[in-house]
Amino acid sequence: MGKVYLLGAGPGDPDLLTIKGLRILREADVILYDRLVSPEILALANPAALLIHTGKRHGQQEEIQNEINALMLRHAIPGKIVVRLKGGDPMVFGRGAEEWALLTAHGIEVELVPGVSSAIAVPALAGIPVTCRGVAASFAVITGHNQKSETPDWVKFRMVDTLVILMGVENRVRIATELIALGRPATEPVAYIERGSTDRERVVTATLAEVARGEVEVESPAVCVVGEVVRLRLKLFSETPTEVAVAC
Ligand SMILES: C[S@@+](CC[C@H](N)C(=O)[O-])C[C@H]1O[C@@H](n2cnc3c(N)ncnc32)[C@H](O)[C@@H]1O
């Protein structure tokens, strides 16, 4: 029996891969990687490793997840070192726990290698701390996806200081409308950080009302931050050439 590493690749910048992650990538026989893993990180892998792209296409999640599970088993059972390489951290909306459970059920050794999650690192790199003394004492990381099993109950997050929404680009108008309806101020600042930590990073700031009116153009992947901490960006960066400020 081989071994599967559930390994977090971080948000994109190869310098944000962990030292342990790099060592394991250099030893891997087979690497099954997700859509959000950057080519610069794949370039660090064992040149002899078999690289398999497992990016999930829209609307086919379960089918593709079954294929990924079958691939992990097919390569691990004969004794290969398999890396399941995921963007950010495998345990943050990464299906890390489900894959771990499946592999354990088949008697395969699993080791988790945490990664730097986009949920915290991407806002931070853009000058937005998710907490800050006197501004925000709590934060929640929420999916913006509208899946049957995962549709968030926004009522639960009404009182949380900072909301970090992953996969929230497509449904942004509905999410902002719902947050305002639940009592969050329409003037509350929002930031979308597209492709954080890469040289194509772009930051869009606006208010919840502007997002709700459909005035904010954003591309996926982006981390959305809702809360007063967004204003700190202006204090931390005096010049923000890549910023598109709708308002704030
Ligand atoms: C399926 S979730 C995976 C999250 C990942 N496991 C993590 O810890 O960062 C994918 C979402 O993460 C966010 N994301 C991941 N990497 C990003 C990046 N470099 N820039 C902006 N958003 C990113 C986006 O919201 C994207 O839709």
Side-chain angles (χ1 to χ4, degrees), residues 135-156:
V135 181
S138 60
F139 70 96
V141 181
I142 310 158
T143 172
H145 234 209
N146 205 5
Q147 284 178 351
K148 230 189 274 165
S149 56
E150 270 185 340
T151 302
D153 176 3
W154 293 101
V155 178
K156 281 195 290 202

Side-chain angles (χ1 to χ4, degrees), residues 4-10 17-18 20-25 28 32 37 41 82-90 111-115:
V4 176
Y5 291 93
L6 298 173
L7 198 157
L17 181 68
T18 64
K20 184 168 184 176
L22 177 61
R23 178 170 57 72
I24 292 161
L25 280 183
L32 296 119
V37 174
I41 287 187
V82 178
V83 171
R84 177 74 178 104
L85 186 61
K86 295 160 182 282
D89 183 276
E111 186 170 338
L112 181 92
V113 183

Side-chain angles (χ1 to χ4, degrees), residues 11 36 87-89 92-93 117-119 122 166-167 193 195-196 221-223:
L36 287 176
D89 183 276
V92 179
F93 297 124
S117 179
S118 67
V122 163
L166 303 188
M167 300 169 282
I193 306 119
R195 298 177 290 271
V223 173

Side-chain angles (χ1 to χ4, degrees), residues 9-132:
D13 178 351
D15 282 350
L16 295 177
L17 181 68
T18 64
I19 292 170
K20 184 168 184 176
L22 177 61
R23 178 170 57 72
I24 292 161
L25 280 183
R26 286 183 175 152
E27 290 167 3
D29 297 313
V30 180
I31 300 173
L32 296 119
Y33 65 97
D34 277 352
R35 186 176 53 90
L36 287 176
V37 174
S38 66
E40 292 85 351
I41 287 187
L42 292 175
L44 298 170
N46 172 8
L50 173 65
L51 298 182
I52 305 174
H53 180 224
T54 61
K56 294 198 180 102
R57 295 175 290 279
H58 212 62
Q60 307 174 318
Q61 262 81 354
E62 291 316 314
E63 196 183 311
I64 293 175
Q65 187 62 50
N66 290 339
E67 285 172 25
I68 293 169
N69 294 346
L71 278 168
M72 287 193 295
L73 295 173
R74 187 186 310 156
H75 291 285
I77 288 170
K80 297 265 192 313
I81 299 176
V82 178
V83 171
R84 177 74 178 104
L85 186 61
K86 295 160 182 282
D89 183 276
M91 296 305 222
V92 179
F93 297 124
R95 295 205 181 209
E98 287 124 287
E99 292 180 4
W100 188 338
L102 171 110
L103 293 160
T104 301
H106 283 81
I108 292 165
E109 188 184 349
V110 176
E111 186 170 338
L112 181 92
V113 183
V116 172
S117 179
S118 67
I120 297 173
V122 163
L125 289 166
I128 303 170
V130 292
T131 67
C132 180

Side-chain angles (χ1 to χ4, degrees), residues 169-189:
V169 169
E170 202 178 320
N171 296 324
R172 62 191 179 282
V173 170
R174 187 181 48 73
I175 292 168
T177 306
E178 200 156 335
L179 289 175
I180 294 169
L182 286 172
R184 294 200 70 117
T187 53
E188 188 165 25

Side-chain angles (χ1 to χ4, degrees), residues 122-123 126 128 191-196 201-204 221-225:
V122 163
I128 303 170
Y192 290 90
I193 306 119
E194 294 172 355
R195 298 177 290 271
E201 175 174 314
R202 191 177 80 117
V203 180
V204 179
V223 173
C224 171
V225 184

